[in-house]
């Protein structure tokens, strides 16, 4: 199976539905005149060894200095620890979740 992404690049999967190629991770830097430029800050490479499939060059990320608003904190529970991901609690508010151990092959370094 294959499709073209928004950059016009072909994205392909093997017979198990696993990603064959990789993706660049980009930072969209906007300017006061509403123009922008995409800056490559990392890569997702599913063929790389475990632990090296996602690379990020944090020094290349340019944060908008005018954005000072923080996302709202959960009013139901504390953040999940590294190695755990959020799992929605059925019938609860959208901000309420359980912390579930990450599935094999998945990682979480932050909440």
């Amino acid at each position: 199976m294959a499709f073209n992404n928004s950059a016009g690049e072909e994205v392909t999967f093997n017979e198990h539905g696993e990603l064959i190629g990789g993706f660049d991770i980009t930072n969209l830097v906007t300017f006061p005149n509403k123009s922008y430029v995409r800056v490559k800050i990392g890569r997702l490479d599913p063929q790389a060894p475990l632990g090296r499939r996602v690379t990020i060059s944090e020094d290349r990320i340019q944060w908008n200095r005018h954005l000072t608003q923080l996302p709202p904190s959960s009013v139901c529970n504390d953040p999940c620890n590294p190695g755990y991901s959020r799992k929605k609690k059925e019938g609860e508010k959208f901000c309420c979740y359980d912390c579930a151990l990450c599935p094999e092959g998945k990682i979480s370094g932050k909440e």
Side-chain angles (χ1 to χ4, degrees):
M1 181 170 112
F3 66 91
N4 288 341
N5 65 17
S6 61
E9 302 165 331
E10 185 177 51
V11 178
T12 56
F13 298 87
N14 66 16
E15 64 275 4
H16 304 290
E18 299 167 330
L19 185 64
I20 294 175
F23 290 101
D24 289 338
I25 300 170
T26 59
N27 178 207
L28 188 66
V29 180
T30 56
F31 300 101
N33 67 358
K34 307 245 190 270
S35 65
Y36 63 90
V37 64
R38 289 184 172 107
V39 177
K40 180 179 173 181
I41 61 166
R43 178 102 179 123
L44 168 69
D45 183 358
Q47 305 304 317
L50 283 176
R52 294 191 176 168
R53 291 186 176 171
V54 176
T55 56
I56 302 280
S57 299
E58 291 186 41
D59 59 317
R60 300 201 68 193
I61 300 173
Q62 294 185 27
W63 297 103
N64 186 326
R65 292 185 182 103
H66 300 291
L67 296 178
T68 57
Q69 183 178 357
L70 296 174
S73 298
S74 171
V75 295
C76 301
N77 51 300
D78 293 328
C80 294
N81 292 323
Y84 289 80
S85 61
R86 296 177 183 177
K87 181 178 178 185
K88 182 177 175 359
K89 287 184 177 180
E90 291 300 322
E92 297 284 335
K93 295 180 182 178
F94 74 93
C95 62
C96 298
Y97 51 85
D98 289 319
C99 293
L101 192 59
C102 290
E104 186 176 338
K106 304 290 182 187
I107 61 169
S108 168
K110 297 181 182 178
E111 74 157 302

